[in-house]
Amino acid sequence: MKIVQCITRMIVGGAQEVVLMTCGALTEAGHDVVLVHGPTTGPEGSLLQEAAAVGARLIEVPTLVRQAAPLTDWRCQRKLRRLFTDLRPDVVHTHSSKAGILGRGAAWSAGVGCVVHTIHGLGFHDRQHPLIRNLFIRSERWAAKRCHHLIAVSPQMTDAFEQHHIAARDRMTVIPSAVDLSRFDGPLADRAEAKAAAGLPRDAQVLGLLARLDALKGHLDVVAILPALARRFPKLHTVFIGDGYDRGRIEAAVASQHLQERVTFTGRVSREAVPALLDAVDVSVLPSYQEGQSITLLQSLLRGCGIVAYHAGGIPSVCIDGKTGRLVPVGDTGALADAIAWMFEHPDERATLAEQGRALARSRFSPRQMTDATLGVYDRVLRSRSDGAGHSPSTPAS
């Protein structure tokens, strides 16, 4: 088949890692894969070279930008419609909010036989202005009528789309986002040696946050609780792994607490360097306010880290409280500090949770499972179309 994967930006991020793994698996299976994307610039880094290396043909659409811009968006949808008409793909599979809305509309009007969208996270959330939030919900409803099926990375994404009357449950299939086992599921390193290699004291108690530096990822919540944690744990050191547009704001918050000697900003790091950095982390925290599932928590578990996170979005499908990690209410920084402290004070229990998390990652979040299930959705949609379902949204079995 000729299969188009369409995403707004191929930055270093969870949804993009999924697209990269999907492109690689599809090309390896003999399909003709085209990756359509918008301009990929910014401090987070790019995965475009990796996508080309796995065999995807790259096409950049300059008007496919993240920010809302009505005239530019109109031009983008026209460009995408012409592109899909010329390419004549069997499948158009969209990812991320902007590419998902514009790409589905364009593929539908171009008459593509199978139009699928993956819900990696919600474009709307409670911290938005009500008008903006309502606009996103209405746009998702419009786009949902212009695809044959939806893939949700967690049951919570399915719940959210149903609760907001975006799509019926029988038009959605849950396919968890995979973690790259080939990079993360190797023998665990000696943590003291990994800390020394990362430039940290061998006996440091290391708290890590692996995520782009973005307001919704909760870095400022971690900074707010660091003074109390540092008093409780004199050898505590925090590492923020990644980069992003909010770096200046987070650095200023660290400086205002006089914690510069206790906090390391790695900046942008290569994908190859991430496992070794996680080997230096005792406890990996993700106080994200909006998350479809979280690949970084899976990566942390595979490297033997204890995990602590907010009960947000699809995070509970990875961080299962008392089984694979500690889960606390969103925005409750007191509970967040207590859960992190518990992890440091109970190393044996932490190791047990991490090992149970490693087993979960291997059994439920493998790339093979994800790509086989995704191909299954394509096949069911195309078969339902060939059986005479026409151009109306189909409802393949979940």
Side-chain angles (χ1 to χ4, degrees), residues 17 36 86 92 107 113 129 157 167 217 243 254 306 329 332 339 349 365 381 385:
E17 289 273 0
V36 175
D86 293 342
V92 168
H129 188 283
M157 297 299 97
K217 295 296 183 180
D243 211 338
V254 170
D332 190 338
E349 291 91 336
F365 298 93
V381 170
R385 295 292 313 286

Side-chain angles (χ1 to χ4, degrees), residues 286-366:
L286 185 63
S288 180
Y289 282 77
Q290 173 67 300
E291 202 77 25
Q293 175 196 292
S294 180
I295 288 178
T296 63
L297 288 178
L298 288 169
Q299 294 170 344
S300 299
L301 287 170
L302 287 170
R303 299 317 302 159
C305 306
I307 62 170
V308 176
Y310 279 160
H311 193 297
I315 286 179
S317 64
V318 175
C319 185
I320 304 170
D321 191 44
K323 182 176 180 181
T324 65
R326 294 292 305 273
L327 207 57
V328 302
V330 176
D332 190 338
T333 53
L336 183 68
D338 289 342
I340 292 170
W342 184 92
M343 282 284 183
F344 282 121
E345 291 169 345
H346 298 82
D348 292 339
E349 291 91 336
R350 182 179 78 222
T352 298
L353 293 175
E355 186 53 43
Q356 290 171 173
R358 293 185 81 194
L360 177 73
R362 295 179 186 127
S363 64
R364 291 190 54 195
F365 298 93
S366 74

Side-chain angles (χ1 to χ4, degrees), residues 64 70 73 82 111-112 141 151 162 172 175 229 233 236 261 285 290 379 382 388:
L64 182 53
D73 294 343
R82 290 194 298 269
V112 175
R141 288 174 184 162
I151 293 171
E162 185 177 55
M172 294 180 274
I175 302 177
L229 285 174
F233 302 99
L236 179 70
E261 300 300 317
V285 61
Q290 173 67 300
D379 181 62
L382 290 169

